Amino acid sequence: MIVVLVEVTPAGEVVETSREAMTFARDLAGAGGGVPVDAVVVGHADDALVGTLASYGARRVHALTGPAYDSFSGAAWAAGLLEVRERSGSVVVTAAGTARGNEVLAHVAARSGLPMAANVVSFSSLSPFTVTRQVVGGAALEEMSLAQRPAIFTLAGHAVEATPAATAGAGELVVETPDVADADLLARVVSTEEPEPDLSGTLKSARVVVGAGRGAGSAEGFDDILELTELLGGSLGVSRVVTSLGWRPHHEQVGQTGSRISPDLYIPCGISGAIQHWAGCSSAKAILAINTDPDAPMVTRATHAVIGDLHEVVPAINAEIRRRRG
């Protein structure tokens, strides 16, 4: 059996990455001969939530309840997940590769004395169970064998498309009230604050992204870059140093600590291409780098490159675009 830890929004809806994890688990179950897939949620599970998970193939929905689950605790969630796993004898424990998913399954792995694979994108063999996972912020892939049972791993976000099952699962609701040790509640969420609004949606979905780094020179050095962005109908993405210096807002940042982009075309201007930034733009289909340094990592990895000062090259590109458009 496969057990999937499922995260739920405050409105009671299954988050997209957990629906992806259910899809992946269902594919893995099919490859293993059709073993059942059970979902584990924390807190009350209403009919709508159970119905959604059943539509993704859940045979049972285990709802962890009790005072220990009134707020998030990685150790407490892991204790409940392990209790379900031990009672069911599941051979796989998985979750979405979110901050919570990775934390909870790290607890599960440590308590089980087993390895954990984080940010898996695919599996290639069942005996031994072999997975491929993202490392170095997604810039590289690593093959890992999970020979012991249960196999414990998280699924990288958007590694698969969330797809309901062709045949819904039974969706039997099982209310669980696990015993949770006091030690498991030493670290838990005691208060939350509303985050600043996420304004990065346009950047993540843009087909063309024009990037700018330290080479912009100052907060006032973006005029030509912004014009190019507008001419191409794209979005502006910047490096970490640009946001650290306060030249542009953080929601425009591309990289491991910013947004990850996958446009048809990325035009990084004056960006050296450190690993932190490359982790965010490596999925771009084509990269046109503009840089004075021919040996900069971004230039050497780019599909095409123009060696020159962005303050000379970008205005020339803008002028040519305007000329061709009349």
Side-chain angles (χ1 to χ4, degrees):
M1 192 186 82
I2 299 174
V3 171
V4 183
L5 174 65
V6 171
E7 296 179 57
V8 181
T9 69
E13 298 177 348
V14 180
V15 301
E16 181 180 10
T17 49
S18 286
R19 287 186 278 114
E20 293 168 355
M22 288 292 296
T23 302
F24 188 89
R26 198 174 65 242
D27 292 343
L28 179 58
V35 298
V37 176
D38 281 9
V40 177
V41 299
V42 175
H44 171 68
D46 60 19
D47 292 343
L49 175 59
V50 172
T52 297
L53 292 172
S55 74
Y56 276 82
R59 178 189 63 168
R60 294 193 182 105
V61 178
H62 302 265
L64 305 181
T65 61
Y69 297 101
D70 289 343
S71 62
F72 174 71
S73 164
W77 283 32
L81 186 58
L82 272 172
E83 186 167 316
V84 172
R85 183 266 148 189
E86 288 164 2
R87 191 181 314 117
S88 64
S90 65
V91 294
V92 174
V93 180
T94 186
T98 61
R100 287 189 173 184
N102 283 326
E103 179 180 349
V104 173
L105 262 64
H107 280 284
V108 169
R111 293 178 183 216
S112 303
L114 296 172
M116 166 193 162
N119 298 318
V120 166
V121 296
S122 64
F123 67 93
S124 57
S125 172
L126 295 180
S127 183
F129 182 44
T130 305
V131 298
T132 300
R133 71 188 194 98
Q134 294 178 347
V135 295
V136 197
L141 296 176
E142 174 185 85
E143 194 172 85
M144 182 173 178
S145 178
L146 297 172
Q148 296 170 281
R149 295 294 177 266
I152 303 169
F153 65 90
T154 60
L155 180 71
H158 314 311
V160 300
E161 182 178 355
T163 307
T167 302
E172 176 190 351
L173 176 61
V174 181
V175 178
E176 311 271 5
T177 310
D179 291 328
V180 179
D182 291 341
D184 289 337
L185 299 174
L186 291 177
R188 65 187 306 184
V189 174
V190 295
S191 65
T192 59
E193 296 180 1
E194 287 295 322
E196 294 182 3
D198 183 1
L199 303 175
S200 61
T202 302
L203 176 60
K204 292 177 181 177
S205 62
R207 296 184 64 183
V208 176
V209 174
V210 179
R214 190 193 302 271
S218 68
E220 291 72 38
F222 285 82
D223 290 348
D224 294 323
I225 296 166
L226 288 169
E227 182 183 1
L228 177 59
T229 302
E230 183 177 356
L231 287 169
L232 296 177
S235 293
L236 177 66
V238 301
S239 64
R240 182 171 61 179
V241 67
V242 167
T243 58
S244 297
L245 291 169
W247 294 353
R248 301 294 302 182
H250 180 268
H251 71 261
E252 293 178 351
Q253 182 179 320
V254 172
Q256 193 167 358
T257 54
S259 297
R260 296 189 181 186
I261 59 173
S262 54
D264 293 338
L265 175 63
Y266 180 45
I267 308 177
C269 306
I271 296 177
S272 64
I275 289 177
Q276 196 279 340
H277 187 83
W278 188 253
C281 70
S282 59
S283 296
K285 295 181 178 63
I287 296 177
L288 168 61
I290 300 173
N291 205 299
T292 56
D293 181 4
D295 297 318
M298 185 62 74
V299 173
T300 59
R301 298 181 184 185
T303 315
H304 306 282
V306 178
I307 307 304
D309 187 331
L310 70 88
H311 294 295
E312 297 177 359
V313 175
V314 174
I317 295 174
N318 293 344
E320 181 63 15
I321 293 174
R322 289 195 303 271
R323 185 189 69 80
R324 294 196 177 200
R325 291 180 179 178

